Amino acid sequence: MVNCSFCERKAVYVNHLNGRAYCKLHFTSYFERRVRRTIRKHRMLGEKEHIVVGVSGGKDSMSLLHILRKLSRKNKNWRLTALLVDEGIKGYRENTIPALKIYAERNMVEYKIVSFKDYLGLTLDEIVSTGREKGLPYLPCSYCGVFRRYVLNKAARELGGTVLATAHNLDDIVQTYLMNVINNSWDKIARLKPVADKGGHEGFVPRIKPFYEVLEKESAIYALVNGLVEPGYHQCPYAEYNIRFTIRKILNDLEEKYPGTKYGLLRSLEKIISLIENAQKTPVKPFGTCKICGEPSSHPICKACMYRFELGLLSPEESLRVKSVVNEHPNLRKLLARF
């Protein structure tokens, strides 16, 4: 075992970039300092906020909730509410929900649990099954990502949140960056910023990513040394269907052999975002309003409503409205070709 570089205690983490080892106490200080610096650097929080924290009960989100709770205790003008979305994945989410409940009740943190079933009428398992029966070409993670963002925004707004904090860490960001490079989705790359403002739509709750510059490994260690989660790893059963699963493994192998790979990719992303923004002749188009549900959307029909239409989850009136909007927009007509 290696000793801490700052005291004689046993180290729980070694940073291979600076060569320093950290015991539990000094690692906690190091990690929290980096998160506070990220929040200040990107001006994520104002003097008065109702911070809604998107929590899954896993290591990253529990770490984020813990740090923001500590910060909010020092700022009396900040209110904190934890928000958990239960997607409805049998054998998975029920293993993580107890972590939030125990923590929230022990530390007197407000929390709310909502579900896909509440907002969409089906669990994710039922959505995936329905999609397969209908022959739809989407992977489980496609449904989950779209509907999770949809429900998080609606629920955070209903709670009166002024900002929605998510626990996306550096690993998540660079994985998404590479996925979008592979798909040639440069418009999506331009959105991979640490802060997403209202985009001109009052219905959108601004997003912040306080873990934007910290590694997944670090947030996991922080959760474990602070007793925020039980040892062990609960992986979503649908993860293996996603290209992210493969990219994650490749990046971890590269980081092991060439420390700093992930940080290099993040700096590359930041530079590319700057180049994209400077190259744009007009400002980024603000959010419009989905003509079906009224939620913020960059298209006439939001992705959630497109999926709900294809899955048969809309009312007859809403479905007719979808067809009318699609007929008005030629770029959407390929959707109707399947129905």
Side-chain angles (χ1 to χ4, degrees):
M1 289 290 291
V2 179
N3 286 338
C4 177
S5 299
F6 305 93
C7 68
E8 295 302 315
R9 300 183 184 93
K10 296 297 182 184
V12 297
Y13 176 64
V14 177
N15 185 322
H16 293 291
L17 286 179
N18 61 23
R20 293 174 181 167
Y22 300 85
C23 66
K24 173 182 174 180
L25 180 66
H26 286 104
F27 173 78
T28 296
S29 176
Y30 155 82
F31 186 82
E32 292 179 353
R33 185 169 61 250
R34 296 200 64 192
V35 174
R36 290 196 303 269
R37 186 173 62 196
T38 301
I39 292 172
R40 289 195 303 270
K41 175 182 175 181
H42 299 287
R43 300 178 182 177
M44 292 184 174
L45 296 168
E47 292 185 6
K48 186 175 183 180
E49 300 280 9
H50 179 183
I51 308 165
V52 176
V53 187
V55 179
S56 67
K59 53 184 174 42
D60 297 312
S61 63
M62 292 305 299
S63 293
L64 178 62
L65 179 62
H66 186 62
I67 289 180
L68 291 178
R69 182 188 72 87
K70 293 176 76 171
L71 292 176
S72 66
R73 290 176 66 186
K74 297 177 181 178
N75 191 327
K76 301 303 180 184
N77 290 321
W78 287 357
R79 177 184 169 191
L80 194 71
T81 304
L83 172 63
L84 186 148
V85 177
D86 181 359
E87 303 91 347
I89 305 172
K90 189 176 181 181
Y92 174 60
R93 185 56 69 214
E94 59 261 36
N95 292 320
T96 62
I97 290 176
L100 169 62
K101 289 183 174 179
I102 292 169
Y103 181 88
E105 290 164 8
R106 182 181 295 160
N107 294 283
M108 294 183 291
V109 173
E110 292 182 52
Y111 75 95
K112 184 176 180 62
I113 298 175
V114 297
S115 69
F116 277 18
K117 191 81 170 180
D118 295 335
Y119 284 82
L120 305 168
L122 296 178
T123 65
L124 181 61
D125 287 344
E126 291 168 338
I127 288 169
V128 171
S129 177
T130 300
R132 286 170 177 167
E133 288 173 4
K134 290 180 172 290
L136 299 179
Y138 310 115
L139 294 173
C141 294
S142 298
Y143 294 122
C144 188
V146 167
F147 287 139
R148 183 175 171 77
R149 288 190 292 272
Y150 179 81
V151 172
L152 271 173
N153 188 68
K154 288 192 73 170
R157 189 176 67 239
E158 290 165 2
L159 287 168
T162 58
V163 65
L164 173 60
T166 62
H168 292 94
N169 54 51
L170 189 154
D171 292 58
D172 297 322
I173 301 301
V174 297
Q175 288 164 19
T176 303
Y177 169 36
L178 290 183
M179 288 165 63
N180 287 324
V181 168
I182 291 169
N183 291 324
N184 197 31
S185 299
W186 296 96
D187 57 327
K188 293 181 180 178
I189 288 174
R191 299 176 199 157
L192 292 175
K193 299 170 73 172
V195 176
D197 60 25
K198 283 183 174 293
H201 199 294
E202 288 303 311
F204 183 78
V205 181
R207 309 286 174 87
I208 62 171
K209 301 181 182 76
F211 285 1
Y212 194 80
E213 297 187 22
V214 299
L215 296 168
E216 179 183 34
K217 182 178 181 179
E218 294 176 338
S219 64
I221 292 172
Y222 183 84
L224 289 170
V225 300
N226 284 280
L228 305 176
V229 293
E230 293 294 326
Y233 179 59
H234 299 290
Q235 179 174 285
C236 175
Y238 294 120
E240 63 185 273
Y241 297 103
N242 195 333
I243 189 175
R244 184 185 295 273
F245 183 81
T246 301
I247 290 177
R248 181 176 185 268
K249 185 179 185 305
I250 292 171
L251 283 175
N252 285 341
D253 289 342
L254 284 170
E255 184 68 29
E256 183 70 26
K257 293 179 181 178
Y258 310 105
T261 295
K262 294 175 182 177
Y263 286 109
L265 283 168
L266 182 67
R267 301 309 166 214
S268 164
L269 169 63
E270 291 173 334
K271 190 166 186 177
I272 285 177
I273 290 174
S274 177
L275 290 171
I276 291 173
E277 290 178 337
N278 290 335
Q280 288 173 332
K281 296 180 180 180
T282 57
V284 176
K285 182 182 177 182
F287 283 123
T289 299
C290 174
K291 296 181 182 295
I292 309 304
C293 67
E295 289 295 304
S297 175
S298 53
H299 301 285
I301 302 176
C302 72
K303 194 74 171 180
C305 283
M306 292 291 261
Y307 278 168
R308 290 198 296 154
F309 172 70
E310 293 181 278
L311 289 163
L313 300 180
L314 296 180
S315 69
E317 294 78 12
E318 290 172 323
S319 295
L320 284 174
R321 196 152 65 241
V322 167
K323 294 176 182 180
S324 175
V325 173
V326 167
N327 283 327
E328 295 172 6
H329 298 271
N331 60 319
L332 298 178
R333 286 180 186 166
K334 61 182 180 180
L335 171 68
L336 286 185
R338 294 203 297 268
F339 296 89

